Amino acid sequence: MKKRLAVLISGKGSNMERIIKNCKSGFIDASVVFVASDRPEAPGLEKARSLETPALVLSYKETGKHGAESGLLEKIIRERIDMLVLAGFMRVLSPWFVNQLAGKIINIHPSLLPAFPGTGSIERAWKAGVRVTGVTVHLVDEQVDHGPILAQEPVRVGRDDTLESLERKIHDVEHRVYSRILRDFSRHGNLSAFRRRQLV
Ligand code: GRF
């Protein structure tokens, strides 16, 4: 049976877009049942709708964090979502919410965690002068950008790279790695098989 995904975004939604397209093409044996954003102005919402995927705004502004998370959890249960996919979602989920969905929330981060967690990771890695950075996909636990690592892929910082070219390289890798992990999940049914296994 096709897996049912929900994707949370806050901004552009380029990872989300790639995931929806890869579900539609059959590369990932799943469907994106809905997309949700904490920011009504997130450009990714329109992008999702143009790909015929329902997109909604979470009620953080009106109801606060607990109200927004409760509403989201109800929808996740009602829609029988198998995996909640964080793709540039800028809010920290509460321990209560994470525990309700233990092992069913996945995140992508643009660094080799545990290096450079939090926001602005690519720029901070660039300013620190690292020669290698990369991308991490992990299960979400109660801490920020933390939890069992499912995949990591390194990205070299070349002599000719600028911050902008490094960002482009990292985003290209993100799009590929996230879809690959979700394809494996859609085929094998759960993610525990990948825990602590380096996939690249
Ligand atoms: C990505 O770099 C992701 O790793 C980070 O936020 C960014 C989201 O980009 N968590 P997009 O909205 O998918 O284009």
Side-chain angles (χ1 to χ4, degrees), residues 11-16 87-89 107-110 122 171 174-175:
K12 234 175 31 231
S14 66
N15 280 283
M16 170 216 74
F89 186 62
N107 184 41
I108 191 158
H109 186 77
I122 303 177
H171 291 316
E174 284 191 317
H175 297 159

Side-chain angles (χ1 to χ4, degrees), residues 110-111 116 120-127 163 166-167 170-171:
S111 74
F116 306 109
S121 312
I122 303 177
E123 189 169 359
R124 282 186 289 123
W126 169 260
K127 285 187 175 154
L163 173 59
L166 179 63
E167 281 171 346
I170 288 183
H171 291 316

